[in-house]
Amino acid sequence: MTDIPAERRPPDAPVALHAEHWNTKVQEDISELCQRHVARCPAIRSVAHYSNGILDFVVHAPGAEPLPSGPLVDHRIDAEGRPGHQLVRCVQDIDRSLGPLRTGELMRTVVATPTGALYCGRVKADQHIVGITVDGGRVDAMDDQLNDLVTELRAMMNLPNEYLGGMDVPYVVPDGTEGLKFLTGHAVDEPMEARLRGIWHRFLNHTDLQYLAYYRGWDLICVGDAFDSPRLGLRFLAIEPDARRRRYRDIAGGLRTDIARLRDALQSVTRDPINRLVLDVQEGAIYIHWLPGGRSSDFLLGVTLDQHQVGNAERRLREVLSELPPAPRRLRR
């Protein structure tokens, strides 16, 4: 491990901890860019860089409390890098599981809790940035800053902008219910299904939020989408709408394992339950938002197929969540 000597650092400068193999000029440029972004954004506790799953360096805010090291960790850089190691491995596995959707690679992952969050951004294949915040109210600030960081790193390598987090495009009122389809799941929660059927036409649309499913106790209650809209026809040249619907149900069914692994990655940052997961792929995003006060098995799963609309679609999903009443604790089958 190498560190920047304290006498060469301004007192309020981020602290860089470098692995022994990190020593070339190009690598130093990447480290310095990360330090600038950490300095700009007080929401960021630390940023780590991984190549082929190997930790290269960590930049943490001045005065940041060390992460718990555990009995097998000898150096601070190892403790700092452990959440990212776990997160990168999990993100790579999730990326592979999303392959059949034909929506491109997983570029950005946000795992948020009320008191902290992890961010993973893919710079390119096998190169990742992992960020940590310990302020649940400033997750979006970290997210925006690290999206900019990943975009700058890609520009340094002459790679195109992938618009992590979407673009600043108008947020418009959905224009009708063309192509909307609603289905009942295997479990029965008639009051909640009726409530959702009554409001979804105001949120589901062919522009941003194009799929929305409600789960309780890991069981699908009801689901709606705009996949039959003629305006989405070009999105289904490689996969039929019904096949995509089935795939999203498969993803929800596999969440238990993914969530358990993501919780493990969060253990040294926060013990609070996950309340939001974003999987930002090259063509849109998948969002899982847990119901406030509910169980870890009660959530909404939303989807957009338009990368430009990634931010707007999640805003729409949050509006749906704000209109949901408390759910009953038992389901009738």
Side-chain angles (χ1 to χ4, degrees):
M1 174 186 72
T2 60
D3 191 2
I4 306 301
E7 63 270 16
R8 288 168 48 194
R9 288 197 314 264
D12 59 346
V15 179
L17 306 174
H18 293 164
E20 295 292 347
H21 65 272
W22 190 262
N23 53 23
T24 70
K25 179 61 172 69
V26 172
Q27 293 168 338
E28 286 303 317
D29 289 343
I30 295 174
S31 174
E32 289 173 7
L33 180 60
C34 290
Q35 292 175 57
R36 289 198 295 273
H37 278 270
V38 171
R40 289 174 194 163
C41 185
I44 300 175
R45 179 206 171 274
S46 58
V47 167
H49 184 278
Y50 298 83
S51 300
N52 297 307
I54 298 172
L55 176 67
D56 299 311
F57 66 83
V58 176
V59 175
H60 66 77
E65 290 292 327
L67 295 177
S69 59
L72 302 179
V73 177
D74 296 327
H75 302 290
R76 179 166 183 179
I77 190 172
D78 298 322
E80 294 284 341
R82 186 166 55 176
H85 273 303
Q86 294 173 287
L87 181 60
V88 168
R89 288 196 297 268
C90 187
V91 164
Q92 290 173 325
D93 290 342
I94 293 174
D95 186 22
R96 284 188 285 270
S97 74
L98 299 180
L101 287 168
R102 310 285 183 90
T103 49
E105 295 182 39
L106 177 56
M107 310 181 299
R108 161 182 163 258
T109 305
V110 181
V111 190
T113 80
T115 55
L118 297 177
Y119 169 104
C120 183
R122 177 192 58 82
V123 181
K124 62 177 184 176
D126 295 320
Q127 182 180 357
H128 296 85
I129 288 290
V130 172
I132 296 175
T133 184
V134 290
D135 185 343
R138 305 180 78 176
V139 176
D140 289 346
M142 176 182 74
D143 189 6
D144 291 342
Q145 191 71 41
L146 296 185
N147 288 341
D148 290 343
L149 169 59
V150 172
T151 299
E152 287 189 48
L153 287 171
R154 287 181 59 82
M156 287 172 58
M157 302 172 193
N158 294 317
L159 296 172
N161 188 344
E162 294 187 305
Y163 301 104
L164 279 72
M167 291 183 65
D168 185 14
V169 293
Y171 185 66
V172 299
V173 177
D175 58 350
T177 58
E178 178 190 48
L180 295 190
K181 183 174 185 177
F182 298 91
L183 296 170
T184 298
H186 298 299
V188 177
D189 184 348
E190 293 175 353
M192 186 61 75
E193 181 180 351
R195 174 65 175 163
L196 287 166
R197 283 181 178 270
I199 66 172
W200 278 10
H201 67 279
R202 294 194 280 113
F203 301 102
L204 275 173
N205 62 87
H206 56 73
T207 301
D208 48 54
L209 185 60
Q210 295 146 348
Y211 177 97
L212 185 59
Y214 174 59
Y215 285 81
R216 287 199 61 246
W218 300 110
D219 290 320
L220 179 65
I221 301 297
C222 53
V223 56
D225 66 64
F227 291 170
D228 291 336
S229 170
R231 303 192 202 188
L232 293 180
L234 291 177
R235 302 283 182 185
F236 295 98
L237 295 179
I239 180 172
E240 292 292 326
D242 282 343
R244 191 181 291 276
R245 291 176 180 118
R246 288 193 298 271
R247 189 59 191 158
Y248 288 130
R249 293 194 187 197
D250 291 342
I251 290 169
L255 271 178
R256 294 191 206 203
T257 300
D258 294 332
I259 295 305
R261 295 179 65 192
L262 293 171
R263 281 181 182 148
D264 285 343
L266 279 162
Q267 283 300 295
S268 59
V269 178
T270 174
R271 298 299 181 93
D272 276 355
I274 300 170
N275 59 13
R276 173 176 169 249
L277 174 62
V278 179
L279 305 173
D280 188 351
V281 294
Q282 289 174 304
E283 295 181 28
I286 299 171
Y287 320 91
I288 297 94
H289 282 228
W290 279 261
L291 274 63
R295 302 168 295 182
S296 62
S297 55
D298 302 343
F299 56 90
L300 292 178
L301 188 152
V303 173
T304 184
L305 304 177
D306 189 334
Q307 186 58 30
H308 292 179
Q309 297 285 347
V310 165
N312 285 341
E314 188 166 22
R315 176 179 171 183
R316 191 96 56 195
L317 175 60
R318 284 170 164 155
E319 291 176 354
V320 176
L321 199 61
S322 71
E323 293 202 18
L324 294 186
R329 301 306 299 171
R330 287 185 172 274
L331 295 177
R332 176 172 60 81
R333 292 187 178 276

